[in-house]
């Protein structure tokens, strides 16, 4: 689910009365949220963004930033407030837009914000995960924009990125994003804002993924855990039928706040929802462990999960909005005072690598745009300026087959936890790195940097003292990665030959180059077809 499918006196605030000052920031202690005055905070939330696609995909970048249009906010915020909402979740915001008017309206109505950091075409893709300089820049820009507003609780570094046992490696990249975004906030923002993850509820990975994001060093792990859960369906459900009792049991020892990042099963359609799950969520059975939840969703669309319908820019509340309003008005969660609360829960143990969990505790490196630029400016052989990105795949495929050591510097393996120092660079920079490594492996032969005009020699490489330390450190890291991924010496040639001719890497590269350069595209095709080095082919 989600957008890509991604006590204050609330009786006064939620009635729509304006407040003169900023809302007090929410803070975290142990597994609970608190207002600044020490009263426990429970989310009574609504997912507030129009749907555009499925989670984890990068096929479109069309989205409507719900907090950048004052007229829309003036229409919707009063309805959110009248419902009893104190939190909204947004799934993508435009960090270059002006959010001041909408954020002021939310402030005036006592409503906080949790936002995802990604956008549809710039996110961690479960099928080809990366944590790179471009994505980190996006995350930082969202933090910079939203940190202006005291009613921002925090962010999700990912939403259902890993959604089955077949793509658990992607979680290493999301956890690296958590680590780096937390560090950026700590270094640049003068108040706490949390960074968490929103997971789907999948039997095969449910326990492992919750453990993984909460294990290890605190600086690397989530500040809060969100569950997108739709197991309470219909009026005949219950704590046991829905499995809510098992969720309470599992998370009772979790060390950070847990809440429903999405909920609201619609097996009978949106209007069939009577919201008994809301009553359960704020009952004594759950409030010692869960910090509330976020209803999916505000807008009624084709997926039939809405509580408000929009027609000709006019908003009309639906029957299940009214039912939810009644439920929220009747709940009174048991709370804990900040000063009397002494957390005792500790972080989870990291899950082992098994058939259903393939993400290592070792995380990808922090994206460093300066390192990538230093490297690219230092190369003696690089891509031609007019080379189309559509042609990158052929060159990557050829070089990574014939100079595997060079490609260890740009690749990562989330299961072994081995990452090259340039895994975070953009594709042009990565191509420059492997071209240069290949060129130097062939002793800078005159035809080793050509590729039928697709690569060129840079004869005027200038040394930059400011880059020397970074490049030296990266070179050492590349050697470690190459050693960790190299085959055993006895199998290095596959022939058992001990002759100096066949055992010399440069000679082997020359032989392969003479054989295949004239048929570069065909060779790349055959390489992919045979499944050799498929993980290194960037298409």
């Amino acid at each position: 689910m989600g957008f890509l499918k991604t006590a204050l006196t609330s009786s006064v605030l939620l009635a729509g009365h304006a407040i003169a000052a900023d809302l007090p920031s929410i803070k975290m202690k142990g597994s609970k949220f608190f207002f600044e005055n020490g009263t426990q905070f429970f989310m009574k939330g609504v997912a507030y963004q129009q749907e555009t696609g499925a989670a984890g995909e990068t096929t479109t970048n069309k989205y409507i930033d719900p907090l950048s249009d004052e007229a829309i906010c003036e229409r919707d915020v009063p309805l959110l407030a009248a419902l009893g909402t104190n939190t909204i979740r947004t799934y993508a915001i435009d960090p270059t837009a002006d959010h001041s008017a909408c954020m002021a309206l939310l402030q005036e109505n006592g409503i906080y914000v949790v936002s995802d950091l990604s956008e549809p075409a710039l996110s961690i893709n479960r099928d080809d995960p990366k944590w790179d300089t471009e994505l980190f820049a996006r995350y930082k820009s969202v933090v910079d924009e939203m940190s202006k507003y005291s009613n921002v609780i925090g962010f999700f570094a990912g939403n259902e990125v890993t959604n089955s046992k077949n793509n658990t490696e992607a979680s290493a990249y999301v956890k690296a994003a958590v680590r780096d975004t937390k560090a950026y906030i700590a270094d640049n923002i003068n108040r706490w804002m949390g960074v968490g993850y929103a997971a789907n509820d999948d039997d095969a990975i449910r326990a492992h993924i919750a453990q993984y994001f909460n294990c290890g060093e605190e600086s690397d792990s989530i500040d809060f855990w969100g569950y997108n859960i739709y197991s309470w369906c219909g009026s005949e459900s219950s704590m046991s039928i829905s499995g809510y009792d098992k969720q309470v049991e599992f998370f009772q020892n979790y060390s950070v706040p847990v809440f429903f990042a999405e909920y609201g099963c619609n097996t009978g359609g949106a209007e069939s929802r009577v919201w008994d799950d809301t009553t359960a969520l704020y009952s004594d059975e759950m409030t010692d462990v869960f910090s509330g939840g976020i209803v999916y969703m505000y807008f009624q669309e084709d997926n039939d999960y809405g509580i408000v319908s929009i027609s000709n820019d006019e908003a009309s509340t639906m029957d299940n909005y009214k039912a939810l309003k009644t439920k929220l008005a009747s709940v009174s969660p048991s709370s804990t005072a900040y000063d009397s609360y002494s957390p005792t829960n500790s972080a989870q143990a990291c899950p082992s690598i098994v058939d259903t969990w393939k993400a290592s505790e070792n995380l990808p490196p922090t994206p460093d745009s300066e390192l990538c630029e230093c490297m690219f400016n230092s190369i003696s052989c690089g891509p031609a300026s007019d080379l189309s990105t559509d042609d990158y795949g052929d060159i990557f495929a050829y070089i990574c087959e014939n100079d595997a050591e060079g490609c260890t510097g740009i690749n990562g393996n989330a299961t072994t936890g081995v990452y090259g120092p340039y895994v975070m660079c953009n594709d042009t920079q990565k191509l420059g790195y492997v071209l240069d490594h290949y060129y130097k492996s062939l002793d800078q032969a005159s035809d080793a940097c050509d590729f039928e005009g697709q690569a060129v020699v840079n004869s005027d490489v200038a040394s930059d003292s400011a880059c020397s330390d970074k490049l030296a450190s990266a070179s050492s890291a590349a050697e470690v990665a190459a050693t960790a991924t190299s085959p055993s010496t006895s199998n290095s040639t596959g022939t058992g030959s001990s002759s100096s001719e066949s055992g010399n890497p440069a000679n082997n590269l020359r032989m392969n180059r003479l054989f295949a350069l004239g048929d570069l595209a065909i060779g790349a095709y055959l390489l992919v077809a045979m499944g050799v080095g498929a993980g290194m082919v960037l298409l």
Side-chain angles (χ1 to χ4, degrees):
M1 294 291 175
F3 174 65
L4 303 174
K5 12 188 152 167
T6 231
L8 287 175
T9 51
S10 57
S11 59
V12 174
L13 293 174
L14 295 178
H17 296 178
I19 55 179
D22 287 348
L23 284 174
S25 299
I26 300 299
K27 55 186 177 180
M28 180 189 87
K29 183 180 182 181
S31 61
K32 303 183 188 302
F33 293 117
F34 293 91
F35 291 105
E36 287 183 350
N37 68 358
T39 303
Q40 189 174 352
F41 175 79
F42 291 92
M43 289 186 184
K44 298 177 182 177
V46 176
Y48 182 66
Q49 189 144 13
Q50 291 175 269
E51 191 79 29
T52 66
E57 294 181 354
T58 57
T59 57
T60 178
N61 201 36
K62 295 180 180 178
Y63 65 92
I64 299 172
D65 179 346
L67 303 183
S68 63
D69 190 319
E70 183 176 3
I72 290 177
C73 290
E74 287 178 342
R75 178 195 69 194
D76 294 337
V77 171
L79 293 178
L80 288 165
L83 179 66
T85 305
N86 68 7
T87 307
I88 61 169
R89 177 184 178 184
T90 60
Y91 295 84
I93 67 104
D94 177 1
T96 66
D98 180 5
H99 301 95
S100 57
C102 286
M103 293 303 292
L105 283 168
L106 292 169
Q107 291 258 12
E108 291 166 5
N109 287 277
I111 299 175
Y112 291 82
V113 177
V114 178
S115 184
D116 291 40
L117 289 163
S118 61
E119 60 183 86
L122 198 53
S123 60
I124 300 174
N125 187 319
R126 64 173 69 100
D127 297 319
D128 181 23
K130 299 176 185 177
W131 175 234
D132 59 18
T133 54
E134 183 182 18
L135 191 51
F136 192 22
R138 155 76 192 184
Y139 279 32
K140 289 186 288 188
S141 68
V142 174
V143 169
D144 290 342
E145 169 60 19
M146 300 307 287
S147 65
K148 301 173 185 176
Y149 309 105
S150 66
N151 57 330
V152 174
I153 297 172
F155 310 95
F156 286 117
N159 179 65
E160 299 186 9
V161 179
T162 288
N163 66 351
S164 74
K165 64 182 180 181
N166 299 321
N167 49 45
T168 58
E169 296 93 334
S171 284
Y173 294 86
V174 181
K175 192 169 181 180
V178 170
R179 175 200 63 202
D180 295 337
T181 307
K182 285 180 61 170
Y184 181 78
I185 291 171
D187 291 342
N188 296 279
I189 310 301
N190 62 3
R191 69 178 179 89
W192 180 86
M193 292 189 297
V195 182
Y197 178 72
N200 67 312
D201 184 37
D202 183 270
D203 283 347
I205 61 171
R206 176 189 295 149
H208 284 153
I209 194 169
Q211 293 162 350
Y212 183 75
F213 277 95
N214 184 234
C215 77
E217 297 295 326
E218 183 180 346
S219 58
D220 295 349
S221 60
I222 52 167
D223 293 316
F224 50 76
W225 180 254
Y227 244 127
N228 299 342
I229 186 167
Y230 295 84
S231 60
W232 188 302
C233 298
S235 58
E236 301 303 315
S237 193
S238 65
M239 288 290 295
S240 58
I241 293 173
S242 65
Y244 279 20
D245 57 344
K246 299 299 183 185
Q247 299 290 353
V248 171
E249 180 181 358
F250 179 85
F251 286 106
Q252 64 184 349
N253 296 317
Y254 216 62
S255 65
V256 299
V258 182
F259 56 91
F260 287 174
E262 293 174 6
Y263 77 98
C265 176
N266 73 337
T267 52
E271 292 289 49
S272 71
R273 298 186 291 188
V274 295
W275 302 110
D276 289 341
D277 43 357
T278 298
T279 301
L281 183 56
Y282 300 98
S283 70
D284 290 347
E285 292 179 90
M286 297 192 70
T287 50
D288 189 48
V289 175
F290 282 84
S291 295
I294 298 171
V295 165
Y296 189 81
M297 58 181 283
Y298 181 85
F299 295 96
Q300 172 66 349
E301 297 186 327
D302 291 343
N303 60 11
D304 197 19
Y305 276 92
I307 58 174
V308 172
S309 62
I310 308 296
S311 178
N312 297 321
D313 293 328
E314 296 291 328
S316 301
T317 58
M318 299 167 59
D319 289 342
N320 79 117
Y321 169 100
K322 298 164 189 173
L324 178 60
K325 180 179 179 180
T326 299
K327 293 289 189 180
L328 288 173
S330 65
V331 301
S332 182
S334 299
S335 61
T336 300
Y338 183 91
D339 290 339
S340 62
Y341 171 53
S342 298
T344 58
N345 293 351
S346 57
Q348 304 285 298
C350 290
S352 301
I353 301 296
V354 293
D355 288 344
T356 55
W357 191 258
K358 299 292 187 181
S360 167
E361 298 173 45
N362 296 327
L363 304 179
T366 300
D368 184 343
S369 58
E370 290 184 1
L371 171 62
C372 294
E373 291 168 4
C374 283
M375 175 272 289
F376 194 72
N377 291 335
S378 72
I379 59 177
S380 300
C381 175
S385 59
D386 59 350
L387 178 62
S388 169
T389 56
D390 292 338
D391 296 324
Y392 283 13
D394 289 342
I395 303 177
F396 274 121
Y398 176 76
I399 294 180
C400 289
E401 167 66 2
N402 293 290
D403 183 18
E405 181 179 331
C407 288
T408 60
I410 64 166
N411 287 321
N413 187 315
T415 301
T416 62
V418 176
Y419 305 92
Y422 302 112
V423 68
M424 85 285 282
C425 300
N426 65 43
D427 286 347
T428 300
Q429 292 164 337
K430 288 179 179 178
L431 183 60
Y433 176 80
V434 299
L435 280 166
D436 189 62
H437 193 280
Y438 179 80
Y439 177 58
K440 291 172 180 175
S441 295
L442 290 172
D443 302 323
Q444 302 186 28
S446 59
D447 60 347
C449 183
D450 180 65
F451 288 84
E452 299 181 345
Q454 295 178 315
V456 294
V457 173
N458 179 10
S459 57
D460 188 28
V461 178
S463 60
D464 186 345
S465 58
C467 290
S468 58
D469 288 345
K470 281 182 175 289
L471 291 174
S473 178
S475 179
S476 297
E479 290 178 7
V480 171
T483 300
T485 57
S486 65
S488 64
T489 304
S490 62
N491 294 324
S492 61
T493 65
T495 64
S497 171
S498 59
S499 71
S500 60
E501 181 73 13
S502 62
N504 186 312
N507 287 334
N508 288 338
L509 287 173
R510 285 194 184 91
M511 291 293 289
N512 288 330
R513 180 165 50 88
L514 291 171
F515 174 76
L517 264 179
D519 300 301
L520 186 59
I522 297 174
Y525 172 79
L526 291 174
L527 175 64
V528 175
M530 292 185 295
V532 180
M536 300 178 181
V537 181
L538 305 181
L539 297 174

